[in-house]
Short mmCIF file of all heavy atoms in Angstrom, two decimals:
data_model
loop_
_atom_site.label_atom_id
_atom_site.label_comp_id
_atom_site.label_asym_id
_atom_site.label_seq_id
_atom_site.Cartn_x
_atom_site.Cartn_y
_atom_site.Cartn_z
N ARG A 13 8.70 -1.44 5.99
CA ARG A 13 9.64 -0.34 5.99
C ARG A 13 9.36 0.61 4.83
O ARG A 13 9.43 1.83 4.97
CB ARG A 13 11.07 -0.86 5.91
CG ARG A 13 12.13 0.23 6.07
CD ARG A 13 13.55 -0.32 5.95
NE ARG A 13 13.79 -1.33 6.95
CZ ARG A 13 13.95 -2.63 6.68
NH1 ARG A 13 13.85 -3.06 5.41
NH2 ARG A 13 14.19 -3.49 7.63
N THR A 14 9.02 0.02 3.66
CA THR A 14 8.69 0.86 2.51
C THR A 14 7.45 1.71 2.79
O THR A 14 7.40 2.91 2.46
CB THR A 14 8.45 -0.03 1.28
OG1 THR A 14 9.64 -0.79 1.02
CG2 THR A 14 8.13 0.81 0.05
N GLN A 15 6.44 1.09 3.43
CA GLN A 15 5.23 1.84 3.78
C GLN A 15 5.55 2.96 4.76
O GLN A 15 5.05 4.09 4.64
CB GLN A 15 4.18 0.90 4.36
CG GLN A 15 3.61 -0.09 3.36
CD GLN A 15 2.56 -0.99 3.99
OE1 GLN A 15 2.34 -0.95 5.20
NE2 GLN A 15 1.92 -1.82 3.17
N VAL A 16 6.40 2.66 5.75
CA VAL A 16 6.76 3.68 6.74
C VAL A 16 7.52 4.83 6.06
O VAL A 16 7.27 6.02 6.34
CB VAL A 16 7.59 3.06 7.87
CG1 VAL A 16 8.17 4.15 8.78
CG2 VAL A 16 6.73 2.10 8.68
N MET A 17 8.45 4.46 5.17
CA MET A 17 9.21 5.50 4.48
C MET A 17 8.28 6.35 3.61
O MET A 17 8.43 7.58 3.52
CB MET A 17 10.30 4.87 3.62
CG MET A 17 11.43 4.21 4.43
SD MET A 17 12.62 3.34 3.40
CE MET A 17 13.26 4.69 2.43
N ARG A 18 7.31 5.70 2.94
CA ARG A 18 6.36 6.46 2.12
C ARG A 18 5.54 7.40 3.00
O ARG A 18 5.30 8.56 2.66
CB ARG A 18 5.45 5.49 1.36
CG ARG A 18 4.50 6.23 0.39
CD ARG A 18 3.59 5.24 -0.34
NE ARG A 18 4.36 4.32 -1.15
CZ ARG A 18 4.44 3.02 -0.89
NH1 ARG A 18 3.82 2.51 0.17
NH2 ARG A 18 5.14 2.23 -1.68
N ALA A 19 5.09 6.87 4.16
CA ALA A 19 4.33 7.71 5.09
C ALA A 19 5.18 8.87 5.59
O ALA A 19 4.70 10.01 5.73
CB ALA A 19 3.81 6.87 6.25
N ASP A 20 6.50 8.58 5.89
CA ASP A 20 7.38 9.65 6.34
C ASP A 20 7.55 10.72 5.27
O ASP A 20 7.56 11.93 5.55
CB ASP A 20 8.75 9.07 6.73
CG ASP A 20 8.67 8.26 8.02
OD1 ASP A 20 7.68 8.42 8.74
OD2 ASP A 20 9.61 7.48 8.27
N ARG A 21 7.70 10.26 4.01
CA ARG A 21 7.84 11.24 2.93
C ARG A 21 6.58 12.09 2.77
O ARG A 21 6.65 13.31 2.56
CB ARG A 21 8.16 10.52 1.61
CG ARG A 21 9.58 9.99 1.55
CD ARG A 21 9.97 9.66 0.12
NE ARG A 21 9.13 8.61 -0.44
CZ ARG A 21 9.42 7.30 -0.38
NH1 ARG A 21 10.53 6.92 0.24
NH2 ARG A 21 8.61 6.41 -0.92
N LEU A 22 5.41 11.43 2.88
CA LEU A 22 4.16 12.18 2.78
C LEU A 22 4.03 13.18 3.93
O LEU A 22 3.58 14.31 3.75
CB LEU A 22 2.97 11.23 2.76
CG LEU A 22 2.84 10.36 1.49
CD1 LEU A 22 1.70 9.36 1.64
CD2 LEU A 22 2.60 11.26 0.26
N ALA A 23 4.43 12.73 5.14
CA ALA A 23 4.36 13.63 6.29
C ALA A 23 5.31 14.80 6.11
O ALA A 23 4.99 15.96 6.41
CB ALA A 23 4.70 12.86 7.57
N ALA A 24 6.53 14.49 5.61
CA ALA A 24 7.49 15.57 5.37
C ALA A 24 6.98 16.53 4.31
O ALA A 24 7.14 17.77 4.42
CB ALA A 24 8.85 14.97 4.95
N LEU A 25 6.35 15.93 3.26
CA LEU A 25 5.79 16.80 2.22
C LEU A 25 4.68 17.68 2.78
O LEU A 25 4.57 18.86 2.44
CB LEU A 25 5.27 15.93 1.07
CG LEU A 25 4.68 16.69 -0.14
CD1 LEU A 25 5.74 17.60 -0.75
CD2 LEU A 25 4.14 15.70 -1.16
N GLY A 26 3.85 17.10 3.67
CA GLY A 26 2.79 17.89 4.30
C GLY A 26 3.36 19.02 5.12
O GLY A 26 2.86 20.17 5.08
N GLU A 27 4.43 18.71 5.91
CA GLU A 27 5.06 19.76 6.70
C GLU A 27 5.66 20.83 5.80
O GLU A 27 5.61 22.03 6.08
CB GLU A 27 6.14 19.15 7.59
CG GLU A 27 5.58 18.27 8.70
CD GLU A 27 6.70 17.69 9.56
OE1 GLU A 27 7.87 18.07 9.32
OE2 GLU A 27 6.40 16.88 10.45
N LEU A 28 6.28 20.36 4.68
CA LEU A 28 6.86 21.32 3.75
C LEU A 28 5.80 22.23 3.16
O LEU A 28 5.96 23.46 3.09
CB LEU A 28 7.60 20.56 2.64
CG LEU A 28 8.23 21.42 1.53
CD1 LEU A 28 9.29 22.34 2.12
CD2 LEU A 28 8.82 20.54 0.44
N MET A 29 4.70 21.65 2.74
CA MET A 29 3.62 22.46 2.17
C MET A 29 3.04 23.43 3.21
O MET A 29 2.69 24.57 2.89
CB MET A 29 2.52 21.55 1.62
CG MET A 29 2.93 20.74 0.40
SD MET A 29 3.46 21.79 -1.00
CE MET A 29 5.24 21.65 -0.86
N ALA A 30 2.92 22.93 4.43
CA ALA A 30 2.42 23.81 5.49
C ALA A 30 3.36 24.98 5.71
O ALA A 30 2.94 26.14 5.89
CB ALA A 30 2.23 23.02 6.78
N GLY A 31 4.68 24.71 5.67
CA GLY A 31 5.65 25.78 5.84
C GLY A 31 5.60 26.76 4.68
O GLY A 31 5.68 27.98 4.87
N VAL A 32 5.50 26.19 3.45
CA VAL A 32 5.41 27.06 2.28
C VAL A 32 4.18 27.94 2.37
O VAL A 32 4.21 29.16 2.11
CB VAL A 32 5.40 26.21 0.98
CG1 VAL A 32 5.08 27.09 -0.23
CG2 VAL A 32 6.74 25.51 0.80
N ALA A 33 3.03 27.32 2.72
CA ALA A 33 1.78 28.10 2.83
C ALA A 33 1.92 29.20 3.88
O ALA A 33 1.47 30.34 3.68
CB ALA A 33 0.62 27.18 3.18
N HIS A 34 2.58 28.88 4.99
CA HIS A 34 2.74 29.86 6.06
C HIS A 34 3.63 31.02 5.60
O HIS A 34 3.33 32.20 5.84
CB HIS A 34 3.33 29.19 7.30
CG HIS A 34 3.63 30.15 8.40
ND1 HIS A 34 2.64 30.74 9.17
CD2 HIS A 34 4.81 30.66 8.87
CE1 HIS A 34 3.17 31.54 10.06
NE2 HIS A 34 4.51 31.51 9.90
N GLU A 35 4.76 30.65 4.95
CA GLU A 35 5.69 31.69 4.53
C GLU A 35 5.10 32.57 3.44
O GLU A 35 5.41 33.77 3.35
CB GLU A 35 7.00 31.03 4.03
CG GLU A 35 7.78 30.32 5.11
CD GLU A 35 8.27 31.28 6.18
OE1 GLU A 35 8.57 32.45 5.84
OE2 GLU A 35 8.36 30.86 7.34
N ILE A 36 4.27 31.99 2.58
CA ILE A 36 3.69 32.78 1.48
C ILE A 36 2.46 33.57 1.96
O ILE A 36 2.20 34.70 1.51
CB ILE A 36 3.32 31.86 0.30
CG1 ILE A 36 4.61 31.28 -0.33
CG2 ILE A 36 2.50 32.61 -0.76
CD1 ILE A 36 4.35 30.31 -1.44
N ARG A 37 1.70 32.99 2.89
CA ARG A 37 0.46 33.66 3.36
C ARG A 37 0.76 35.02 3.99
O ARG A 37 0.03 35.98 3.78
CB ARG A 37 -0.26 32.76 4.36
CG ARG A 37 -1.58 33.42 4.86
CD ARG A 37 -2.24 32.59 5.94
NE ARG A 37 -2.73 31.33 5.42
CZ ARG A 37 -2.25 30.15 5.81
NH1 ARG A 37 -1.30 30.12 6.73
NH2 ARG A 37 -2.73 29.04 5.30
N ASN A 38 1.85 35.11 4.76
CA ASN A 38 2.13 36.39 5.44
C ASN A 38 2.37 37.54 4.45
O ASN A 38 1.74 38.61 4.55
CB ASN A 38 3.33 36.23 6.37
CG ASN A 38 3.00 35.35 7.56
OD1 ASN A 38 1.82 35.23 7.94
ND2 ASN A 38 4.01 34.74 8.17
N PRO A 39 3.28 37.37 3.46
CA PRO A 39 3.42 38.48 2.49
C PRO A 39 2.15 38.73 1.69
O PRO A 39 1.81 39.89 1.40
CB PRO A 39 4.56 38.00 1.59
CG PRO A 39 5.31 37.01 2.39
CD PRO A 39 4.29 36.33 3.24
#
């Protein structure tokens, strides 16, 4: 469960970074 939660956090962080990159890239 700890490994899954860590993987989920990493995936969420990846999605967050992707969103940040997308939002910043346009301006």
Side-chain angles (χ1 to χ4, degrees):
R13 187 181 301 111
T14 301
Q15 292 180 354
V16 171
M17 291 174 63
R18 184 180 298 113
D20 288 344
R21 287 196 297 269
L22 291 175
L25 182 60
E27 292 180 4
L28 178 62
M29 292 301 101
V32 171
H34 176 73
E35 293 296 327
I36 293 177
R37 181 185 293 116
N38 291 336

